[in-house]
Amino acid sequence: PSFRAPLSVPAATESVGKMVDHKFKQYQVVGRHVPTETQPEPKLFRMKLWAKDAVRAKSKFWYFMTKLQKVKKANGQLVACNEICDRSPTTVSNYAIWIRYESRTGFHNMYKEYRDTTLNGAVEQMYQEMASRHRVRLPGIQIIKTAQVAPNKCKREGVTQFHDSKISFPIMRKVMRPPSKSLKTTFKYPRPSVSLV
């Protein structure tokens, strides 16, 4: 007889209470120039950015610090790197994102609006849309600013169309459900037709 290793069946309770795991996470990175004799307490710089993990977030931080403050990783010092999580990841909100991106012809500024439960989800939507509609690669997008916008301040039609208290959606496929659990079966058989017509 052939022996097989027992299959590991994941428990049903493991997935309960788990939030959506987004590809991009928001990080807060704090860094400064290495203390010297002339400047014993250098100025701290804090940056909020999106990356897949903390390692890439730190790399992105030094990329911008080199361009903006002339402080590179060799003469810099990392103070903190923390992931920022949303306070209410179950409530839908309107998010505005200001970006600067590089196209085939040059650099452009853009303002985008999205509806999502988290800011990370809105940023992920933005990356997907920029890749599909504008063919912009991920390194060519720089997020300037993000904000949570009130419904009366939204501008884009794709977002404002959902600002209706009486909004309703059609039922495309109506599923007949049993009235009680005892009547629930995997297969339902139709009543036999006894007519001779």
Side-chain angles (χ1 to χ4, degrees), residues 90-111:
T90 54
T91 310
V92 178
S93 303
N94 308 308
Y95 294 101
I97 304 175
W98 287 261
I99 60 169
R100 178 178 184 265
Y101 74 96
E102 184 183 6
S103 69
R104 297 187 184 101
T105 54
F107 287 91
H108 313 279
N109 295 324
M110 195 175 275
Y111 169 78

Side-chain angles (χ1 to χ4, degrees), residues 160-168:
T160 56
Q161 66 180 345
F162 293 104
H163 297 161
D164 184 8
S165 58
K166 295 180 181 178
I167 192 168
S168 60

Side-chain angles (χ1 to χ4, degrees), residues 4 16 25 29 42 48 86-87 120 126 133 147 153 158:
R4 290 185 180 178
V16 178
K25 298 176 180 69
V29 187
K48 288 181 182 178
D86 283 89
R87 290 186 178 180
N120 291 347
M126 182 269 298
R133 286 190 173 176
K153 300 282 184 184

Side-chain angles (χ1 to χ4, degrees), residues 85-184:
C85 301
D86 283 89
R87 290 186 178 180
S88 55
T90 54
T91 310
V92 178
S93 303
N94 308 308
Y95 294 101
I97 304 175
W98 287 261
I99 60 169
R100 178 178 184 265
Y101 74 96
E102 184 183 6
S103 69
R104 297 187 184 101
T105 54
F107 287 91
H108 313 279
N109 295 324
M110 195 175 275
Y111 169 78
K112 292 277 187 185
E113 281 181 358
Y114 300 98
R115 276 176 67 80
D116 208 291
T117 53
T118 60
L119 184 56
N120 291 347
V123 168
E124 201 161 319
Q125 280 188 57
M126 182 269 298
Y127 277 127
Q128 293 288 342
E129 187 183 0
M130 293 302 293
S132 61
R133 286 190 173 176
H134 302 279
R135 301 292 186 271
V136 182
R137 298 176 190 277
L138 195 139
I141 301 172
Q142 294 176 5
I143 299 172
I144 300 167
K145 180 184 169 185
T146 59
Q148 193 169 335
V149 190
N152 59 348
K153 300 282 184 184
C154 291
K155 302 173 184 177
R156 300 291 182 258
E157 188 66 32
V159 174
T160 56
Q161 66 180 345
F162 293 104
H163 297 161
D164 184 8
S165 58
K166 295 180 181 178
I167 192 168
S168 60
F169 301 95
I171 299 172
M172 304 305 290
R173 180 172 176 266
K174 196 166 185 178
V175 180
M176 297 298 289
R177 298 187 184 279
S180 64
K181 198 173 182 181
S182 62
L183 297 171
K184 184 182 177 185

